[in-house]
Amino acid sequence: MDFTYSAEEDRFRQDARTWIRANLPAGWGLTVHESEDERERYMFRLEWEKQLYAGGWAGLAWPREYGGRGATLVEQAILAEELASAGAPEGLNIIGRNLTAPTLIHHGTEAQRLRFLPPILSCEEVWCQGFSEPNAGSDLASVRTTAVRDGDHFVVNGQKTWTSFAHYAQWCFMLVRTDPAAPKHKGISFLLVDMRTPGITVRPLRQISGESEFNETFFDNVRVPVENLVGGLNEGWKIAMTTLAHERGPEDALGRQIRFKRELGVMLDVASSQRRGNRAAVDDSALRQKLATSVIEIELMRLNCLRSFSKMIQGKQLGPESSFQKLYWSHVAQRMYETGMETLGPTAPLAAGDPAVPGAGMFQTSFLQSRAFTIYSGTSEIQRNIIAERVLGLPKSP
Amino acid sequence: MNFDFGPDQYMFQDSVRGFLADRWSTARLRELMTGDGFDSTLWQGLAEIGLPAILVPEVHGGLGLGFVDLALVLEECGRALVPGPLVETMLSADALARFGTPAQQSALLPAIAEGRCRVVPAVTEAEGGCDPELMQTTATKNPGGWTLSGRKILVAYAGLADRLLVSARFGPSGQAGLVLVDPNATGVTRRPHALFDVAARADEVVFDAVQVTAADVLGGEPSTAALHRLLDAGAAASALQMTGIAARMLDLAVEYAGQRVQFGRPIGAFQAIKHRCADMMVLVETSRTAAYYAAWALSSGPDEVAQAVSMAKAYCGDAARNVCNETIQIHGGIGFAWELDLHLYLRRAKSLEYAYGDATAHRERVLTAALLARGKAA
C-alpha cells in the first residue's frame, strides 16, 4: 500500500497543471465563468475539449494506435484531478470518451476502433447514448426500438429518451430489439447510429434544474449499415453491461469527487461567514456534525475510487462491483447538497440572480441537479439489485 | 499509488483466518461468559502464529512490521470476536516500540512478542472518555518520582495484565502522558465491570496515591505525543475490528436470506431484504476503505493520521452499528434469540463504537481540521 506518487508522476502533474493554467481563459473561475446561455456553454466546452486534444491531453491511457498516448491509468487519474481542481469545463463528449470508447475497445472490431476512436478524441464526433425509452427505464432489457435487417442495412424504428447531448451529437450508440421472439435479454443488439441519417428527430426536454441537457429522440425508418453492429447479433445486453460498468466506475467518480469537494469547501466557507443570530452558522453543533459527515463521506468517495482503481491497475476488469461506487457516491452527494441548503438556512429559498443569495445560487442549482444522481445510469434500486444478485449472490427477484 | 495490500499481507490474513477457524469459535466464546474470561490455549496459539509480535521490532524478537501489516489481522480478530487482551497488548507494544526508553523496551517487548507479557492501556474515564483535555487522573511530582491518582474505567482484562499503560496529567503544567503501572502495586484497586459485551472482561481501576518512578513514565518524560499515538492507534484498531464484525454480519445476513423461505421463496428474493443487503455491502466496503487508509496513515502517513483515523472511527462505528442492526432485523424472531450469535457481534461492535472516542467526537475533530485548513478556524 502506497499513496505516494513517483517523481515522474509528480512531474506529469506539474506539466498538466501548468498547461491547464496557461490554456484556461485568464481569470477563470474568478471573474470569468461558463456562459449562462446553454448553447454557448456547450460550444465552449467542446472548444475546450478540442484544445485538450491539440495539447496532447486527450485519451491519455488509450492505446497509441487509436490516437492515445499509452499513458498509465495513474497519469490519467492525475489529469482528471488537475482538471477538476482547476474547475476546468467538463467537456461535451463525455459519453464518447468515457462510454463509447471503452465499449469499442472491449467489444468492437479493429475496423470499428480505427474508424470511431480517433474522432472521439479529436471531438470531431460527439456521442450520445440511446439506452432508455419511455417504457424501458429501470427495466432496460424491455427496449422496444426495433432494428430489422434489410440487405446490408438495419432499419431502426422507435423512440429513445433522456438522451443527453443528442442535440449536439453526431453519433449515438443504442440498444435495439433485433429478435422480438427471443427472451428479452437475448434479443437485443448494440448499434452505432449516425445522428445525421434521415428519419431522426431530436426534441430537448427541460430538467427540474431548468437546464435542457437531455432529449427525446425519435427514429423513423433510420437506415444503419450492418458494419455498425457491435459484437454479435442479439449480444447487445452483454455489451451494454460493459458500457454501464464504465458509466458507474471509479474513473467517472474520481473527477466528480473533486468537484464535490470543491463545492463542499465553499459550503464550509459559507457556514463560517453566514450569521445565525449572534453567532456563525458553523457554531451550531447539529450543523457541524452534518458538515463533518459530508467531509468524511466525500473523502471516502475518493478513497473508494482509489481502491477500485488499484484493482484496475493490476488488470482486473470492471464488473458489477462498480455499482457499489455509484450507489455510494450518489447518496453521499445528495446528503451533502441537502446540508448545503441547511447551511444557507433562512436564505435557502433564494435562487441564482438574487443579490442576497450566498454562493451565487450554486447550492440551489446543485441541490436540484443532485436529485438525478440516484436515477441516471441506473437507479439506486437497480444498483441494489445488481449488488445483491451479482455480487452477494442472493436469489433473483420474482 | 497503490491502495491494495501485497501478497504477504493477504497470506498472513489467510493464515490467521485459518487458525481461528480451527482453534476458535463462538461456542468457545460463550464458555468464556463465566470464569475469568480468558482462553490461555487460544492466547498461546495466537502467540505462536506471531500476532503479539507483529509490531515488536526485530531487535526485540518481534516481526518488526507496521500498522498496515496489522490491518487485515485486526479485521480477522473482529470477524472472529477474538477476546482481549490481545489487541490491547498490541496497542501497548506499538506505544512502547515508538516511545519507550531502551530499558522499558528490553524489559517488556521481547516478553510481549513471545506471548509471556500482557500490557493493557488504561486511558478511559467515566466523565471525559479518553479526551486528553478532560482527563482527571493526575501524576504529582515527588522526590522519588510521581504520585498517581485517578480512576479509569474499561481497563481490559486488568486482572490478567502484567502492566497497565495509564494516561495522566503530569505536574503543575498538566502535560498529558503515559505511565507503566504494576496492577498489584500499593494503592491500585480493581473492580470487575458488569459489561454490555458479555463475553469480555474489563475493570474499573482506582489509583490512590500510587508511587511510580521516572523509569515507569513511558519514554522517561511525560509524552503527549505518545498518548495521542496510543489513542489514534486504538481508534484505528477499533475501526478495523468493527469492519471485521460488519463483514461477518453481512455474510450471516446474506446466508440466512438465501435459505429462509417465506411466502414460498427465499426472503433474499424480496427487494425489501436484498436492497438492505446491498446497502450493507456499501457500508462494509467503505468501512474497509476507511479503516485500511487509517492503518496506512499510522504506518507511513504521519500528516494524515488525525484525519484518517477520525474518518475511520466515525464511519466504521456508524456502519457496524447499522449492519448489525439490519442483520438482526433480516433474521426476524430468531435474530432476537440469545442462542443465535448475532447479539455477540452486536455487543462487541457497540462497545467498540464508544472505545477511543465515539463517532460524534471524531466528526468534530475532522470538521475542526477541515475548517482550519480553509483558514477559517471556528
mmCIF file of all heavy atoms in Angstrom, chain B residues 149-169:
data_model
loop_
_atom_site.group_PDB
_atom_site.id
_atom_site.type_symbol
_atom_site.label_atom_id
_atom_site.label_comp_id
_atom_site.label_asym_id
_atom_site.label_seq_id
_atom_site.Cartn_x
_atom_site.Cartn_y
_atom_site.Cartn_z
ATOM 1 N N SER B 149 -2.837 9.497 40.890
ATOM 2 C CA SER B 149 -4.174 9.372 41.481
ATOM 3 C C SER B 149 -5.238 9.571 40.413
ATOM 4 O O SER B 149 -5.146 10.488 39.601
ATOM 5 C CB SER B 149 -4.377 10.425 42.578
ATOM 6 O OG SER B 149 -3.559 10.112 43.684
ATOM 7 N N GLY B 150 -6.232 8.704 40.441
ATOM 8 C CA GLY B 150 -7.329 8.856 39.484
ATOM 9 C C GLY B 150 -8.094 7.558 39.350
ATOM 10 O O GLY B 150 -7.811 6.570 40.045
ATOM 11 N N ARG B 151 -9.070 7.601 38.450
ATOM 12 C CA ARG B 151 -9.931 6.428 38.289
ATOM 13 C C ARG B 151 -10.129 6.178 36.799
ATOM 14 O O ARG B 151 -10.539 7.095 36.068
ATOM 15 C CB ARG B 151 -11.275 6.714 38.959
ATOM 16 C CG ARG B 151 -12.209 5.514 39.003
ATOM 17 C CD ARG B 151 -13.368 5.796 39.962
ATOM 18 N NE ARG B 151 -14.235 6.863 39.463
ATOM 19 C CZ ARG B 151 -15.429 6.653 38.901
ATOM 20 N NH1 ARG B 151 -15.914 5.436 38.794
ATOM 21 N NH2 ARG B 151 -16.167 7.674 38.472
ATOM 22 N N LYS B 152 -9.833 4.968 36.349
ATOM 23 C CA LYS B 152 -10.034 4.616 34.941
ATOM 24 C C LYS B 152 -11.113 3.548 34.856
ATOM 25 O O LYS B 152 -11.231 2.699 35.757
ATOM 26 C CB LYS B 152 -8.736 4.050 34.341
ATOM 27 C CG LYS B 152 -7.557 5.013 34.385
ATOM 28 C CD LYS B 152 -7.733 6.167 33.425
ATOM 29 C CE LYS B 152 -6.516 7.083 33.432
ATOM 30 N NZ LYS B 152 -6.712 8.272 32.587
ATOM 31 N N ILE B 153 -11.884 3.589 33.788
ATOM 32 C CA ILE B 153 -12.875 2.524 33.576
ATOM 33 C C ILE B 153 -12.502 1.725 32.326
ATOM 34 O O ILE B 153 -11.643 2.143 31.535
ATOM 35 C CB ILE B 153 -14.323 3.064 33.439
ATOM 36 C CG1 ILE B 153 -14.448 4.003 32.235
ATOM 37 C CG2 ILE B 153 -14.757 3.763 34.736
ATOM 38 C CD1 ILE B 153 -15.886 4.330 31.854
ATOM 39 N N LEU B 154 -13.143 0.586 32.173
ATOM 40 C CA LEU B 154 -13.000 -0.229 30.963
ATOM 41 C C LEU B 154 -11.542 -0.596 30.668
ATOM 42 O O LEU B 154 -11.097 -0.547 29.524
ATOM 43 C CB LEU B 154 -13.640 0.480 29.767
ATOM 44 C CG LEU B 154 -15.173 0.586 29.905
ATOM 45 C CD1 LEU B 154 -15.743 1.611 28.942
ATOM 46 C CD2 LEU B 154 -15.843 -0.777 29.671
ATOM 47 N N VAL B 155 -10.818 -0.953 31.703
ATOM 48 C CA VAL B 155 -9.442 -1.421 31.514
ATOM 49 C C VAL B 155 -9.544 -2.926 31.219
ATOM 50 O O VAL B 155 -9.926 -3.716 32.085
ATOM 51 C CB VAL B 155 -8.593 -1.166 32.772
ATOM 52 C CG1 VAL B 155 -7.156 -1.613 32.517
ATOM 53 C CG2 VAL B 155 -8.665 0.305 33.174
ATOM 54 N N ALA B 156 -9.223 -3.288 29.983
ATOM 55 C CA ALA B 156 -9.469 -4.667 29.531
ATOM 56 C C ALA B 156 -8.622 -5.660 30.319
ATOM 57 O O ALA B 156 -7.408 -5.480 30.456
ATOM 58 C CB ALA B 156 -9.158 -4.772 28.041
ATOM 59 N N TYR B 157 -9.265 -6.669 30.841
ATOM 60 C CA TYR B 157 -8.573 -7.790 31.489
ATOM 61 C C TYR B 157 -7.477 -7.320 32.459
ATOM 62 O O TYR B 157 -6.381 -7.892 32.496
ATOM 63 C CB TYR B 157 -7.994 -8.750 30.443
ATOM 64 C CG TYR B 157 -9.059 -9.347 29.559
ATOM 65 C CD1 TYR B 157 -9.595 -8.618 28.503
ATOM 66 C CD2 TYR B 157 -9.556 -10.628 29.795
ATOM 67 C CE1 TYR B 157 -10.600 -9.137 27.708
ATOM 68 C CE2 TYR B 157 -10.571 -11.162 29.002
ATOM 69 C CZ TYR B 157 -11.084 -10.401 27.955
ATOM 70 O OH TYR B 157 -12.075 -10.919 27.175
ATOM 71 N N ALA B 158 -7.791 -6.296 33.250
ATOM 72 C CA ALA B 158 -6.775 -5.722 34.146
ATOM 73 C C ALA B 158 -6.234 -6.786 35.096
ATOM 74 O O ALA B 158 -5.059 -6.744 35.470
ATOM 75 C CB ALA B 158 -7.363 -4.552 34.932
ATOM 76 N N GLY B 159 -7.093 -7.760 35.469
ATOM 77 C CA GLY B 159 -6.672 -8.794 36.406
ATOM 78 C C GLY B 159 -5.621 -9.722 35.822
ATOM 79 O O GLY B 159 -4.939 -10.432 36.556
ATOM 80 N N LEU B 160 -5.513 -9.753 34.490
ATOM 81 C CA LEU B 160 -4.563 -10.657 33.848
ATOM 82 C C LEU B 160 -3.351 -9.905 33.306
ATOM 83 O O LEU B 160 -2.464 -10.495 32.691
ATOM 84 C CB LEU B 160 -5.239 -11.375 32.675
ATOM 85 C CG LEU B 160 -6.366 -12.344 33.055
ATOM 86 C CD1 LEU B 160 -7.192 -12.675 31.817
ATOM 87 C CD2 LEU B 160 -5.784 -13.606 33.658
ATOM 88 N N ALA B 161 -3.348 -8.590 33.540
ATOM 89 C CA ALA B 161 -2.291 -7.777 32.934
ATOM 90 C C ALA B 161 -1.038 -7.776 33.788
ATOM 91 O O ALA B 161 -1.101 -7.816 35.009
ATOM 92 C CB ALA B 161 -2.793 -6.344 32.745
ATOM 93 N N ASP B 162 0.112 -7.734 33.102
ATOM 94 C CA ASP B 162 1.375 -7.586 33.806
ATOM 95 C C ASP B 162 1.664 -6.117 34.070
ATOM 96 O O ASP B 162 2.321 -5.767 35.036
ATOM 97 C CB ASP B 162 2.501 -8.193 32.965
ATOM 98 C CG ASP B 162 2.265 -9.673 32.749
ATOM 99 O OD1 ASP B 162 2.552 -10.448 33.660
ATOM 100 O OD2 ASP B 162 1.732 -10.044 31.667
ATOM 101 N N ARG B 163 1.230 -5.285 33.164
ATOM 102 C CA ARG B 163 1.396 -3.842 33.325
ATOM 103 C C ARG B 163 0.153 -3.138 32.772
ATOM 104 O O ARG B 163 -0.450 -3.599 31.807
ATOM 105 C CB ARG B 163 2.585 -3.327 32.505
ATOM 106 C CG ARG B 163 3.953 -3.674 33.018
ATOM 107 C CD ARG B 163 4.337 -2.869 34.263
ATOM 108 N NE ARG B 163 5.729 -3.101 34.568
ATOM 109 C CZ ARG B 163 6.209 -4.255 35.053
ATOM 110 N NH1 ARG B 163 5.394 -5.258 35.286
ATOM 111 N NH2 ARG B 163 7.502 -4.381 35.289
ATOM 112 N N LEU B 164 -0.140 -2.004 33.407
ATOM 113 C CA LEU B 164 -1.157 -1.105 32.856
ATOM 114 C C LEU B 164 -0.426 0.098 32.263
ATOM 115 O O LEU B 164 0.568 0.570 32.842
ATOM 116 C CB LEU B 164 -2.108 -0.637 33.965
ATOM 117 C CG LEU B 164 -2.760 -1.729 34.820
ATOM 118 C CD1 LEU B 164 -3.630 -1.093 35.907
ATOM 119 C CD2 LEU B 164 -3.594 -2.672 33.953
ATOM 120 N N LEU B 165 -0.906 0.573 31.123
ATOM 121 C CA LEU B 165 -0.336 1.761 30.493
ATOM 122 C C LEU B 165 -1.345 2.890 30.736
ATOM 123 O O LEU B 165 -2.364 2.992 30.038
ATOM 124 C CB LEU B 165 -0.111 1.486 29.003
ATOM 125 C CG LEU B 165 0.706 2.485 28.205
ATOM 126 C CD1 LEU B 165 2.058 2.771 28.839
ATOM 127 C CD2 LEU B 165 0.896 1.976 26.773
ATOM 128 N N VAL B 166 -1.069 3.719 31.723
ATOM 129 C CA VAL B 166 -2.076 4.632 32.269
ATOM 130 C C VAL B 166 -1.839 6.057 31.772
ATOM 131 O O VAL B 166 -0.693 6.547 31.804
ATOM 132 C CB VAL B 166 -2.006 4.615 33.820
ATOM 133 C CG1 VAL B 166 -3.153 5.442 34.409
ATOM 134 C CG2 VAL B 166 -2.052 3.186 34.345
ATOM 135 N N SER B 167 -2.894 6.713 31.330
ATOM 136 C CA SER B 167 -2.764 8.115 30.915
ATOM 137 C C SER B 167 -3.012 9.018 32.115
ATOM 138 O O SER B 167 -3.869 8.728 32.950
ATOM 139 C CB SER B 167 -3.764 8.441 29.804
ATOM 140 O OG SER B 167 -5.090 8.237 30.249
ATOM 141 N N ALA B 168 -2.262 10.117 32.164
ATOM 142 C CA ALA B 168 -2.402 11.049 33.290
ATOM 143 C C ALA B 168 -1.892 12.423 32.889
ATOM 144 O O ALA B 168 -1.203 12.578 31.875
ATOM 145 C CB ALA B 168 -1.602 10.534 34.485
ATOM 146 N N ARG B 169 -2.284 13.402 33.703
ATOM 147 C CA ARG B 169 -1.717 14.758 33.565
ATOM 148 C C ARG B 169 -0.581 14.872 34.561
ATOM 149 O O ARG B 169 -0.765 14.597 35.740
ATOM 150 C CB ARG B 169 -2.759 15.815 33.912
ATOM 151 C CG ARG B 169 -3.948 15.782 33.024
ATOM 152 C CD ARG B 169 -4.823 17.004 33.289
ATOM 153 N NE ARG B 169 -5.635 17.237 32.132
ATOM 154 C CZ ARG B 169 -5.201 17.849 31.027
ATOM 155 N NH1 ARG B 169 -3.956 18.316 30.993
ATOM 156 N NH2 ARG B 169 -5.981 18.003 30.004
#
